[in-house]
Amino acid sequence: MINIKYISVLVLCLLLFFPLAQLYSQSHPIWQPPDEFQATSPNFGDYVDLTETELRNYIDTRGIQNSSNADMAYVVYDFAALYYITGNMDYAYKSAVLLDEYANVFSQWPRNIGVTRGYYMWWDDWYHRDLGWVARYLPQGYDIIANSGVYEQNASMSKTKVLELFRDIINVDLQYPLFMFNSAGTRPLGLMIFARVLNDPKLAHLAYWYYNKMLHESYTYDGFWYEGAYDYMAIITRALLSSNYKKYFNGYTDPADFTSHVPYEKWDTPRIENLDMDERFKLIHNRMDETLWNSAMPNATWPVINETSPYPIGYNGDNPNYIKNILSGSKLYGGFGHAALASGSGPDQTQARLDFSPAFSHYHRDALHLIYFSKQYETVGGTGYVYSNRVWNRSTLNQNLVVIDGTEQTADYWTDFVDSPYTPENGRTVTELESVDFPETNIHNNIVLFETEFQNFNKVQIVEVDAANAYQNIPARTYQRMLSMIDIDETHSYLIDFFYSKGGTQYDWMLHGGHHDYQIEPASNMHSASGSFGRISLEKQTSSFSKWQADLVYGSATHRLTLLNNGQTEIFTGSAPGSRQNEGSQQYLIARKSASANEMTGYYAVHQTFDQSSAIQSINPLAPVIKKEGVYGVQINMAGKTDYIIHSLNPNVDTFNQFIINNQKLEFNGKFLHLRFTGNKIEWIYSLDGTVMFPGHNIPFLKANAFHGNVLDVLRREGGDSMNAFVTDVELPNNALLVGKTVIVKWGNGWTWGYKIQSVNGNVITTIEEPGFNINQGQVEMHYCPAGTYPGPVTFYITGSSLYNNGKITTTNPISSDTTPPKTPSLKSINIVE
């Protein structure tokens, strides 16, 4: 007689077991092991001759408190790999024994789910690395021996028991949020390895989503890790670009019956077929790799921005000899907020770095911070990550910029994370994932100008940035810096440095040297000072009403600073803790001005580094005939050459500013002008926006109108388009005239971004860089950090350029034969500078 009750229980058990059996149905090995044995455990030889009992004794219930519990994970894989290469079943057996013992004890390991580093991991010292650094070697070892016959020959050990161990490990690991964090670069790798061994497609999709999301939302569209600190960027980028991702992700395909999966947000996909990491991510990988390794200073070190370690090595001394390539030329990292002007090449290159990156996580409060490298020295220095002085090194007062009212720029901690939307234990828990909100301030500062070449003319390069957002706590009405690197000859250059501020009552222009020993030697006497500014102990002071000069003297090079003061300035020198690896102290220079909150305060500086003698003989201010706020000029006198530089903070194209140059009247209503006399002959006039009139020297009108309009659509190669481009509502002029220039794109929230123009075809502007966003129903959908939806409309702006060079005229606009000064569209309409 059939026992109905027994059959019912049996059927129920089969129904309960079937999903598990289906889940664990997998052919092995999934991955081809190496052809030659190379132990992952440095002490592997110590375990080869141990008995089963001795091997089991290395694994116990203490979890991370017993370091062998982690060490033996590597040994599991090593025994399995040795079995594969030799065919010796003894090695497969020993690997299976260790896996069996992990399955016996793992459920008893202490599980203090928390947030304090060092107390809540089971495999490593940082839970972000648990799966990808250590635990993954368990399923990798099992994958090799699963079909070896070892389990069939030893009935006391069970495949199901081991697979349940892996499931338990994943369930525990995913109790921790999925952080987009600098140490989490191997966690998606661990998830995929466990997923494929468990034959769990939902877990595989979680790994794919996590990896894809991290590549986008934690990187800017130019390949910078969002924190902007090179050491941390090296940690995460090297992990995410590891060949292991190709090895363990490539070839993954969803099961044929896996059709009902709902993706995790936009970084997942409904189905994965024969995943190819190069095909899917090569463009992103190349950009990340290029940004990390090909952006070095002329001495082949990384620029010390944000919490990058000071020279010569990282603060923990880890891997100091990364191979870094010197930046090949000027570069705007517009997505991150960092610009480099470069003159020359190789170790003799001169670089000026202007940092305007966000201030969160491993940040510095350093919007508009200057680093200058020339003649083999970083003569104006970065502020590195020396942990004992971390608060000081982060401080605005310890950067090369202007401090308003002795106040720090805004900053906040931010890193994105979400609770895992899936665990094998609970299944899919959510369909909508919410990222951590960005801080409200100092997340973005606006590029105004980046012009480094025009029709192969690159002797005058300009960058200008508006960073008022960094000082919203004042609030700053103006906080803007313009740098122009100008070649004197093949081996010498100088840097124009104009800094404008409004909104406070005290302004301190700060400067300190780099990571070699130096002395500040003023050109005029100073008397003793007392007191402090931040951690700077004031030592000397003087007052200046016009021009003040000092040298920062290094071993074989001198950096000469000339300040052209517009009003009374108090000058201080002092010392504070240095940011070099050996710490000690270094010298600082402070130039202080006082003003009303409604008054514009300008600092006008010229920098030059030389090894024997300066190529500059004298520097003088060049003020307009009628003084005007935000309009200033400099005259640079050299042997046989004289340069004139004019800059306008807020140009009005309907009003010309007049200057007396070489006893003749020059009129200019644009943004920037550089004029060079060689003897009494004009070698070149280079101007941005507006019109130049210099009739006393028989120079025709040089007209350089800006181009602006609306962006109707964004094309992205990463989105499946054939090019990276902006489609505009304006027909633009001759393709070749705009190549190499920068198109500045502005969102509806006022943020601006800069992209190098590759070509122009009618109303389509093709860019070298990935745009990073799309326009969706009139709104900006940003795919990289800061990811999210932002208001439209989207507009564009291309600075007009005109060049008179040894009698030849090149301009982005037709030359007018009219004798009346031509009118140009007002900048106010585009509102790039407010």
Side-chain angles (χ1 to χ4, degrees):
M1 183 176 180
I2 298 174
N3 189 326
I4 302 297
K5 181 177 180 182
Y6 173 79
I7 292 177
S8 299
V9 171
L10 179 62
V11 169
L12 179 61
C13 290
L14 287 172
L15 289 173
L16 289 172
F17 177 75
F18 179 74
L20 194 63
Q22 185 183 46
L23 183 68
Y24 294 156
S25 176
Q26 178 65 274
S27 60
H28 298 278
I30 303 169
W31 302 287
Q32 183 78 15
D35 292 330
E36 296 182 1
F37 179 72
Q38 185 173 1
T40 57
S41 168
N43 302 316
F44 176 67
D46 297 341
Y47 308 110
V48 172
D49 296 325
L50 297 184
T51 66
E52 175 179 340
T53 300
E54 289 171 328
L55 286 172
R56 288 182 183 271
N57 285 340
Y58 274 97
I59 302 170
D60 62 22
T61 61
R62 289 180 292 163
I64 195 67
Q65 298 169 23
N66 173 16
S67 61
S68 291
N69 282 326
D71 293 341
M72 298 307 288
Y74 302 106
V75 179
V76 166
Y77 178 78
D78 288 339
F79 274 129
L82 201 54
Y83 150 74
Y84 177 82
I85 291 168
T86 65
N88 187 333
M89 287 293 292
D90 287 345
Y91 296 128
Y93 178 76
K94 290 182 176 182
S95 182
V97 163
L98 290 172
L99 285 168
D100 186 69
E101 192 62 24
Y102 276 115
N104 289 337
V105 303
F106 181 76
S107 63
Q108 302 172 61
W109 283 9
R111 299 187 179 183
N112 302 316
I113 306 297
V115 293
T116 305
R117 183 174 182 178
Y119 293 95
Y120 54 93
M121 290 69 59
W122 298 275
W123 306 99
D124 188 57
D125 69 336
W126 206 210
Y127 79 81
H128 307 282
R129 299 191 291 234
D130 270 0
L131 281 184
W133 276 29
V134 185
R136 71 180 176 94
Y137 288 100
L138 301 181
Q140 285 177 224
Y142 173 82
D143 177 51
I144 297 172
I145 66 169
N147 290 345
S148 66
V150 67
Y151 286 100
E152 289 73 14
Q153 296 174 22
N154 297 275
S156 61
M157 294 185 294
S158 162
K159 289 183 180 181
T160 301
K161 181 180 176 183
V162 174
L163 293 171
E164 285 292 349
L165 164 69
F166 298 160
R167 195 169 183 264
D168 194 17
I169 290 171
I170 289 294
N171 284 326
V172 171
D173 185 88
L174 292 181
Q175 290 182 60
Y176 298 116
L178 298 173
F179 273 83
M180 312 302 140
F181 186 61
N182 56 51
S183 288
T186 60
R187 201 172 178 198
L189 177 69
L191 288 171
M192 181 60 85
I193 291 170
F194 274 87
R196 296 186 72 174
V197 171
L198 289 171
N199 196 23
D200 184 344
K202 290 183 180 178
L203 188 60
H205 274 256
L206 181 68
Y208 174 86
W209 163 85
Y210 190 11
Y211 183 83
N212 197 13
K213 180 180 174 73
M214 201 177 308
L215 253 59
H216 284 85
E217 297 189 2
S218 293
Y219 281 83
T220 58
Y221 65 72
D222 42 30
F224 252 100
W225 175 248
Y226 76 94
E227 295 173 305
Y230 270 89
D231 302 81
Y232 289 101
M233 183 159 67
I235 291 170
I236 184 67
T237 299
R238 293 176 84 204
L240 293 173
L241 300 189
S242 165
S243 60
N244 281 325
Y245 272 100
K246 288 184 185 180
K247 178 176 180 179
Y248 294 103
F249 272 55
N250 276 358
Y252 172 75
T253 297
D254 286 329
D257 59 348
F258 186 72
T259 58
S260 61
H261 177 61
V262 179
Y264 308 119
E265 297 182 308
K266 62 183 178 182
W267 304 125
D268 194 9
T269 181
R271 279 192 60 80
I272 299 175
E273 300 281 351
N274 194 21
L275 179 60
D276 185 322
M277 294 294 277
D278 275 345
E279 180 182 350
R280 176 63 186 85
F281 297 114
K282 189 67 172 178
L283 291 173
I284 305 173
H285 289 169
N286 287 347
R287 188 166 59 246
M288 292 161 58
D289 188 72
E290 175 76 16
T291 297
L292 178 61
W293 301 116
N294 296 324
S295 59
M297 302 287 276
N299 63 346
T301 59
W302 283 318
V304 181
I305 58 173
N306 296 306
E307 286 195 321
T308 297
S309 304
Y311 308 134
I313 60 175
Y315 72 95
N316 60 1
D318 187 30
N319 294 319
N321 297 315
Y322 298 141
I323 297 174
K324 311 174 191 72
N325 294 314
I326 300 168
L327 192 69
S328 60
S330 298
K331 177 77 173 179
L332 174 65
Y333 297 97
F336 176 60
H338 186 80
L341 303 180
S343 176
S345 61
D348 294 324
Q349 188 184 66
T350 294
Q351 284 187 24
R353 300 276 188 146
L354 181 62
D355 193 56
F356 52 103
S357 56
F360 41 54
S361 299
H362 281 286
Y363 62 82
H364 280 170
R365 302 173 187 263
D366 68 346
L368 304 188
H369 170 59
L370 170 67
I371 300 174
Y372 191 70
F373 192 108
S374 186
K375 303 300 180 186
Q376 313 286 325
Y377 288 92
E378 184 190 75
T379 55
V380 178
T383 302
Y385 188 11
V386 177
Y387 201 83
S388 59
N389 287 321
R390 187 180 189 187
V391 174
W392 171 236
N393 290 336
R394 282 180 153 188
S395 170
T396 306
L397 279 63
N398 195 16
Q399 317 301 323
N400 299 310
L401 42 70
V402 168
V403 179
I404 303 180
D405 292 343
T407 303
E408 299 286 351
Q409 294 178 3
T410 56
D412 202 351
Y413 181 83
W414 178 85
T415 189
D416 192 19
F417 65 90
V418 297
D419 291 330
S420 177
Y422 170 76
T423 62
E425 182 177 38
N426 298 319
R428 185 169 171 80
T429 57
V430 295
T431 57
E432 295 294 329
L433 305 177
E434 293 187 7
S435 295
V436 178
D437 291 338
F438 290 106
E440 293 184 0
T441 59
N442 211 351
I443 183 177
H444 182 79
N445 296 296
N446 284 336
I447 186 73
V448 176
L449 277 176
F450 187 76
E451 295 293 326
T452 58
E453 62 176 303
F454 178 59
Q455 298 298 291
N456 298 318
F457 178 80
N458 60 2
K459 298 180 185 298
V460 180
Q461 305 181 58
I462 311 100
V463 60
E464 186 170 355
V465 174
D466 169 11
N469 186 45
Y471 257 131
Q472 283 192 12
N473 51 328
I474 296 296
R477 301 179 189 179
T478 302
Y479 194 69
Q480 198 154 316
R481 192 170 203 166
M482 185 279 295
L483 301 177
S484 178
M485 182 178 287
I486 298 164
D487 289 348
I488 299 173
D489 52 37
E490 295 298 322
T491 58
H492 298 88
S493 60
Y494 61 88
L495 183 71
I496 299 293
D497 178 4
F498 288 2
F499 207 127
Y500 305 90
S501 304
K502 181 191 287 188
T505 57
Q506 177 179 300
Y507 302 93
D508 290 283
W509 188 92
M510 312 294 297
L511 188 84
H512 64 76
H515 294 80
H516 296 92
D517 292 332
Y518 64 94
Q519 293 293 320
I520 297 178
E521 297 182 358
S524 56
N525 292 330
M526 303 179 74
H527 57 272
S528 297
S530 60
S532 62
F533 187 57
R535 294 190 66 181
I536 303 172
S537 297
L538 303 180
E539 298 167 349
K540 299 287 185 179
Q541 73 179 88
T542 190
S543 294
S544 175
F545 291 87
S546 55
K547 182 168 61 176
W548 189 82
Q549 186 173 288
D551 290 344
L552 279 68
V553 180
Y554 291 82
S556 60
T558 298
H559 181 86
R560 180 158 294 169
L561 164 71
T562 304
L563 274 173
L564 299 168
N565 301 321
N566 186 13
Q568 182 173 356
T569 305
E570 299 298 320
I571 310 289
F572 300 90
T573 59
S575 61
S579 62
R580 293 171 290 186
Q581 186 68 15
N582 59 2
E583 300 190 38
S585 64
Q586 65 186 102
Q587 291 187 302
Y588 288 72
L589 188 149
I590 305 169
R592 177 173 294 169
K593 293 183 180 183
S594 298
S596 71
N598 295 319
E599 182 181 356
M600 181 75 73
T601 298
Y603 286 94
Y604 311 103
V606 180
H607 304 263
Q608 192 208 1
T609 303
F610 52 89
D611 43 19
Q612 295 181 0
S613 61
S614 173
I616 296 175
Q617 296 175 340
S618 64
I619 301 173
N620 299 304
L622 178 69
V625 174
I626 300 175
K627 185 177 180 180
K628 185 179 178 182
E629 184 179 88
V631 179
Y632 199 78
V634 175
Q635 177 182 339
I636 310 285
N637 299 307
M638 299 160 285
K641 300 178 183 179
T642 305
D643 285 0
Y644 298 89
I645 300 95
I646 298 169
H647 178 258
S648 179
L649 186 65
N650 295 298
N652 183 341
V653 295
D654 295 324
T655 304
F656 282 76
N657 295 297
Q658 298 181 359
F659 297 84
I660 303 302
I661 293 178
N662 206 19
N663 298 317
Q664 299 289 334
K665 181 174 71 175
L666 179 144
E667 294 185 271
F668 180 52
N669 66 350
K671 183 73 174 174
F672 176 90
L673 179 142
H674 186 275
L675 185 156
R676 171 164 293 176
F677 276 95
T678 300
N680 289 319
K681 179 184 176 182
I682 294 177
E683 185 173 348
W684 70 66
I685 302 177
Y686 176 59
S687 70
L688 300 177
D689 286 348
T691 303
V692 184
M693 294 185 292
F694 203 12
H697 285 271
N698 298 316
I699 302 298
F701 293 136
L702 300 179
K703 179 183 178 182
N705 294 347
F707 304 93
H708 57 86
N710 297 304
V711 175
L712 305 178
D713 195 12
V714 181
L715 306 179
R716 301 173 54 244
R717 290 179 62 197
E718 290 177 19
D721 298 310
S722 62
M723 65 183 76
N724 295 320
F726 298 109
V727 181
T728 75
D729 63 353
V730 176
E731 287 287 322
L732 294 163
N734 185 307
N735 178 3
L737 286 172
L738 300 180
V739 171
K741 291 177 61 60
T742 299
V743 56
I744 294 174
V745 174
K746 184 178 181 182
W747 295 354
N749 62 354
W751 289 358
T752 64
W753 311 83
Y755 304 85
K756 199 85 164 180
I757 297 175
Q758 186 175 54
S759 65
V760 176
N761 185 6
N763 68 331
V764 178
I765 305 168
T766 304
T767 63
I768 293 175
E769 297 90 353
E770 150 71 30
F773 71 95
N774 286 107
I775 300 174
N776 187 0
Q777 297 182 340
Q779 289 190 305
V780 171
E781 183 183 4
M782 186 60 164
H783 302 295
Y784 289 90
C785 184
T789 301
Y790 297 89
V794 179
T795 58
F796 79 94
Y797 185 93
I798 303 174
T799 301
S801 296
S802 66
L803 174 66
Y804 174 88
N805 191 6
N806 288 313
K808 180 182 177 181
I809 297 174
T810 308
T811 176
T812 55
N813 303 93
I815 299 172
S816 173
S817 59
D818 191 350
T819 58
T820 309
K823 296 187 70 173
T824 58
S826 171
L827 284 177
K828 187 176 181 182
S829 64
I830 196 68
N831 199 26
I832 287 292
V833 180
E834 297 180 350

